Amino acid sequence: MLEVEQLTVRFGGITALSGVDLRVSAGELIGLIGPNGAGKTTLFNCLTRRYTPDSGRLAYDGDDLLRVAPFAIARRGISRTFQNLGLFPALTVRENVMVGAHQHGKAGFWSAPLRLPGVRTEEARLREEADTVLRRLELLHLADHPAAGLPFGTLKRVEVARALAAKPKLLLLDEPVNGLTHGEVEDFAGIVRRIRDDFDLTIVVVEHHMGFVMGLCERVVCLDFGRVISEGTPEEVQRDPAVIEAYLGTEA
Amino acid sequence: MKSTSETAERETATEAVPAATARVLPPWARWVLLALAAAAVLYAPFYFAPFRVFQLTLVLVYAVVLLGLNLLVGYSGQISLGHGAFFAVGAYGTAILMRDGDIPYLLTLPIAAAVTFVLGLAFGVPALRLRGLYLALVTLSMAIFLPPLLKRFPELTGGSQGLSVEQPASPAWTGLAEDQWLYYVSLAVAVVAFVLVRNLLRSRAGRALLAVRENEAAAEVMGVRPSFYKTLAFAWSAMLAGVGGAVSTWVIGYVAPDSFTVVLSINLLAGLVIGGLASLSGAVYGAFFVMFVSSVAQDISGAAPGIASGLLIIAVMLIAPTGVAGLVRRLTAAARRRLAKE
Ligand SMILES: Nc1ncnc2c1ncn2[C@@H]1O[C@H](COP(=O)(O)OP(=O)(O)O)[C@@H](O)[C@H]1O
Ligand SMILES: [Mg+2]
């Protein structure tokens, strides 16, 4: 489904990604780990066309992703959440989720003001779909709350809801359980498992929380200084000396 | 600074989606209040003297212009220090059409709207590349260069003398005086404009516009094309200013370059900030301000009104960053709470 080949991204003197190869097959649930600054978010930013890599190839469903405009990524079925939140604070939780479904609506600058036929039914449908997603993520009671002023962990879940409203095929989650308590992390793992089955999703999740990654993912890829240093089942990667050293190196 | 802007945004959100806000008044009471307000607005031209009616008509005109400016500044997060120029194009275009053309005056409105819409599109595209201060400067220069440009082509624009046109007469069947008729025509235009913009904001397109303002990168990831929404906001904004200009020509019957100086543009922006950014009612409050300042400007000469509006903007930003609309919201919320307790 997704093929990343020799992806290299530089920021001035920093090489955030250097020659990264990654293959993701449809239906996989992959964990992407690595110490801070390893390049995980940068990889997501390339996949959603926030950054254009200096070299390398990104193929998605057989197409060259680098030829897709940033706003058209969602239409291709790729959606994501942001490590440091990318919500619209002045909008309510429900409205945030409805923006996620932007590509599934048509109402525009003429049809909406004039309330042309179809606008009202489309609006009702988008609202209904947003509420369905919110119910799935146990957020429905917050639907009318402004996205500002909710706890960080809750907002991360709102982001997941918004990403799901796009009805993606490939979902990229950037540190989704950051800021959650132990019990909430367990719950969230359950939610991810369920949405993957129900929506037929392929998921790549960046997470520091080892317990979460090890319990959830079938395959784990570890980045360090922009390179893939280990790849395999959670147990294999966890035992890999290179991974242990990378994590120890940063903690020391 | 951060905290004030956040509260401002939160209040915007509550107004954008009034669905779940706690309401103490029963629905019938709201309808009664609304009906009373509508009755007052409809009865006003019979109650006030013609000159006051004329002033209220101008308030309606400015409300349409501010509605457009709000779409641009309040809802799409761009800036224009030159919106008086679009207003002027609408006003002059209408005056020229009424002088030369053999068309019913009501037809000048869609023409002015179309012309300023296209102009707005043309400005909206370069505006995408400019942010904040740069966009402010470019739009400001538009407002600065327009009056000399108008004087430059006297055959078309009447030069510094300006143009007088025959004002639309009140149809005999109405039995209304001319000022009353113009009031109702302006009211109709304003109501239509407000309904259109309200519908827009409460739709997928309106949410996309706000999303771009709130977080452009995230909006884009969600499939919103920022350039499209920003450009169309610019075009709609210019179009509403042009519509206001057209109606102002009907109402005033006269256009001259000195009515459209940069001071007008600044006053419009001041009115918007004072009335309340990103609030529909803010455009109405702001319109009273613009009308008031424009009328005292005729009495006090020189830069005094400009300085006064400048100081007022600063004061409002410090004391009430959500403008009059925000104050009114807070007061009614407090009143509601008190009612709820009793
Ligand atoms: N927009 C940017 N400009 C400059 N440097 C960046 C930018 N984005 C990421 N980097 C750098 O790239 C490296 C990888 O960052 P990132 O992908 O965020 O790491 P991770 O998500 O694995 O913690 C870091 O050194 C970071 O400072
Ligand atoms: Mg990161």
Side-chain angles (χ1 to χ4, degrees):
Chain A
M1 169 179 232
L2 177 71
E3 285 172 46
V4 177
E5 266 177 39
Q6 288 299 304
L7 198 70
T8 298
V9 177
R10 276 184 281 268
F11 296 106
I14 302 168
T15 304
L17 291 176
S18 86
V20 168
D21 289 315
L22 180 69
R23 265 166 186 278
V24 181
S25 314
E28 272 195 296
L29 206 173
I30 295 184
L32 188 59
I33 62 168
N36 269 326
K40 307 179 294 293
T41 300
T42 303
L43 179 59
F44 276 12
N45 281 334
C46 290
L47 293 175
T48 49
R49 301 287 288 113
R50 305 312 310 159
Y51 298 160
T52 299
D54 294 274
S55 64
R57 221 172 61 84
L58 290 176
Y60 173 77
D61 269 352
D63 293 336
D64 182 359
L65 211 52
L66 295 176
R67 298 172 78 116
V68 178
F71 73 87
I73 284 290
R75 219 162 298 161
R76 291 303 184 96
I78 301 180
S79 198
R80 73 177 281 188
T81 66
F82 295 85
Q83 181 178 345
N84 296 313
L85 295 179
L87 287 166
F88 314 119
L91 302 187
T92 63
V93 166
R94 180 187 286 117
E95 288 171 317
N96 268 273
V97 175
M98 287 171 86
V99 173
H102 185 76
Q103 52 170 327
H104 300 298
K106 281 202 196 68
F109 269 88
W110 292 107
S111 58
L114 297 171
R115 283 280 138 117
L116 293 184
V119 169
R120 212 181 280 268
T121 43
E122 175 189 292
E123 186 71 8
R125 172 176 61 80
L126 292 177
R127 196 182 157 97
E128 185 64 41
E129 288 176 5
D131 284 2
T132 307
V133 176
L134 284 171
R135 202 172 296 123
R136 286 302 295 270
L137 291 178
E138 291 151 29
L139 290 166
L140 192 58
H141 60 292
L142 297 173
D144 292 307
H145 196 286
L150 290 168
F152 189 73
T154 307
L155 293 178
K156 298 231 61 147
R157 210 136 43 93
V158 174
E159 278 211 340
V160 176
R162 186 181 64 178
L164 280 176
K167 300 181 189 159
K169 289 186 276 182
L170 174 62
L171 179 62
L172 310 171
L173 302 172
D174 202 342
E175 305 199 9
V177 299
N178 184 8
L180 297 193
T181 64
H182 193 74
E184 289 171 327
V185 172
E186 299 273 289
D187 284 350
F188 191 77
I191 289 176
V192 173
R193 257 185 232 111
R194 259 176 286 138
I195 58 175
R196 175 175 73 148
D197 293 342
D198 295 355
F199 297 91
D200 248 340
L201 287 172
T202 308
I203 299 179
V204 181
V205 53
V206 164
E207 194 42 73
H208 278 296
H209 196 290
M210 280 300 173
F212 177 79
V213 173
M214 297 303 159
L216 183 66
C217 304
E218 292 128 18
R219 189 153 72 88
V220 175
V221 175
C222 181
L223 283 178
D224 190 23
F225 290 115
R227 287 173 199 280
V228 177
I229 58 164
S230 182
E231 193 174 345
T233 64
E235 296 74 32
E236 285 165 5
V237 171
Q238 205 167 16
R239 279 196 305 266
D240 191 328
V243 175
I244 294 165
E245 193 183 336
Y247 271 92
L248 286 180
T250 52
E251 271 159 34
Chain B
M1 205 54 209
K2 181 73 187 158
S3 68
T4 53
S5 75
E6 268 172 10
T7 46
E9 281 163 357
R10 219 159 299 156
E11 278 178 47
T12 313
T14 42
E15 206 198 32
V17 192
T21 43
R23 276 191 186 127
V24 172
L25 291 178
W28 64 265
R30 288 180 57 78
W31 283 111
V32 168
L33 279 181
L34 213 65
L36 283 177
V41 169
L42 286 174
Y43 185 64
F46 293 100
Y47 180 80
F48 290 108
F51 179 67
R52 290 278 171 243
V53 175
F54 168 74
Q55 286 190 316
L56 286 176
T57 308
L58 283 183
V59 168
L60 292 168
V61 167
Y62 290 132
V64 173
V65 181
L66 290 190
L67 184 67
L69 192 58
N70 213 350
L71 203 51
L72 184 75
V73 182
Y75 293 100
S76 93
Q78 302 180 82
I79 183 94
S80 171
L81 282 177
H83 242 52
F86 296 117
F87 182 68
V89 169
Y92 260 94
T94 296
I96 292 167
L97 281 171
M98 285 172 77
R99 182 194 58 185
D100 300 341
D102 238 350
I103 55 168
Y105 71 96
L106 282 175
L107 257 187
T108 61
L109 185 130
I111 296 174
V115 168
T116 44
F117 182 84
V118 172
L119 264 182
L121 267 188
F123 265 91
V125 173
L128 292 173
R129 311 215 156 265
L130 303 167
R131 258 153 228 263
L133 191 59
Y134 295 97
L135 184 55
L137 283 175
V138 169
T139 49
L140 180 69
S141 52
M142 176 170 86
I144 292 174
F145 286 121
L146 193 74
L149 195 69
L150 289 172
K151 290 179 192 167
R152 187 84 177 65
F153 300 99
E155 307 78 32
L156 189 65
T157 65
S160 349
Q161 299 300 306
L163 287 176
S164 292
V165 296
E166 201 180 323
Q167 279 180 279
S170 162
W173 57 267
T174 60
L176 292 170
E178 193 174 86
D179 60 289
Q180 292 171 326
W181 169 248
L182 287 170
Y183 174 89
Y184 286 120
V185 171
S186 308
L187 181 64
V189 171
V191 167
V192 169
F194 271 79
V195 169
L196 291 179
V197 171
R198 195 198 65 147
N199 288 349
L200 173 68
L201 290 171
R202 289 188 184 173
S203 75
R204 165 182 176 269
R207 279 189 301 272
L209 196 62
L210 289 172
V212 169
R213 177 193 78 185
E214 295 283 289
N215 189 329
E216 193 167 329
E220 195 167 46
V221 166
M222 292 301 127
V224 177
R225 188 176 194 172
S227 58
F228 174 83
Y229 283 92
K230 285 176 150 184
T231 315
L232 266 121
F234 216 113
W236 264 77
S237 177
M239 177 178 77
L240 288 167
V243 165
V247 178
S248 83
T249 296
W250 302 344
V251 172
I252 300 172
Y254 172 68
V255 288
D258 294 335
S259 324
F260 305 104
T261 60
V262 68
V263 174
L264 171 68
S265 293
I266 307 274
N267 282 341
L268 289 172
L269 195 62
L272 182 60
V273 171
I274 290 163
L277 281 167
S279 145
L280 289 180
S281 53
V284 179
Y285 302 127
F288 276 96
F289 169 84
V290 175
M291 191 275 296
F292 177 74
V293 170
S294 311
S295 57
V296 291
Q298 285 159 0
D299 306 331
I300 314 166
S301 59
I307 293 171
S309 355
L311 289 176
L312 249 172
I313 294 189
I314 295 170
V316 167
M317 283 310 215
L318 290 175
I319 302 163
T322 49
V324 176
L327 279 181
V328 170
R329 264 201 302 280
R330 239 169 288 157
L331 288 178
T332 48
R336 258 193 233 127
R337 271 195 299 277
R338 182 154 303 176
L339 275 174
K341 255 181 238 156
E342 276 162 14

